[in-house]
Every structure is written in structure tokens, then in C-alpha cells.
Amino acid sequence: MNEDIVVPIAFFTMVVLLALGIPLIRAYVRQKDREALPTSLSPELARRLDRIEGMVETISVEVERITEGQRFTTRLLSEGAAIPVATRAPAATLARSHESGVTHA
């Protein structure tokens, strides 16, 4: 064969092989991956997943309770900061005097 024609024929043959070969190889690999996956869960694994799901739900409820507590505390602190110091001071003085047993006349 003529060398001038061998190189283009080899090039186009390689392009065709790659264009057809890569999708075929990918399909083959995907088929093997699907066959390797288990079709169903074992009973032990299903029980473990159920327990994990229950624990996650419990944790989410507890986190919600903590969040509500933080909101409540923040609201109380912000409302307490809105009260002027002059009105808070006598109440604090009165509370301290009751603790120490001193009465004001």
C-alpha cells in the first residue's frame, strides 16, 4: 500500500473505533456495577436502619426544644433590657433586702 494513504486510513479507523468503543465500554461497566448491587436489605440491616431513623427523629425533636428554649430566653432578655434601670433597681434592692432579712421602714 501507498504510505500516503495508510496514515489517513489509520487515523479515521482509530476515530471510528473510539467513537463506538467508548460508549460500549461505558455500557458494559454500568451493567457490571448494577449486577454488583444487592437487590434487597438483610433483616438485620433493616432493623439497624430503623433504629438510626428513630434516633435521628429523637435528636431533631430535642434540637427543636433547645431552639424554642433559646428563643424564649432571648425574648426574656430583650424584654428585660427594654425596662429602664431606674425601675429595675428598687426591685433588685428589695429582693436583696428580703434575702438578708433587712426591712425598710
Side-chain angles (χ1 to χ4, degrees):
M1 274 194 144
N2 188 358
E3 287 183 20
D4 292 336
I5 194 91
V6 171
V7 173
I9 289 175
F11 172 75
F12 286 114
T13 304
M14 191 64 127
V15 168
V16 169
L17 285 175
L18 287 174
L20 295 176
I22 291 175
L24 289 174
I25 291 172
R26 283 186 181 171
Y28 178 75
V29 169
R30 286 182 188 153
Q31 181 184 11
K32 288 297 179 187
D33 284 344
R34 285 188 199 125
E35 291 174 0
L37 294 175
T39 56
S40 64
L41 297 175
S42 67
E44 179 185 347
L45 185 58
R47 285 192 304 268
R48 290 180 72 185
L49 287 173
D50 288 339
R51 285 195 310 249
I52 290 172
E53 182 180 351
M55 286 186 249
V56 168
E57 288 176 6
T58 302
I59 290 170
S60 68
V61 168
E62 292 300 322
V63 167
E64 183 63 31
R65 287 181 183 169
I66 291 169
T67 304
E68 289 297 323
Q70 287 178 337
R71 284 186 198 138
F72 178 73
T73 304
T74 303
R75 191 182 76 220
L76 286 180
L77 290 174
S78 66
E79 288 174 358
I83 299 173
V85 177
T87 59
R88 282 192 288 172
T93 307
L94 184 62
R96 274 188 255 133
S97 66
H98 282 300
E99 290 173 2
S100 62
V102 177
T103 59
H104 293 286

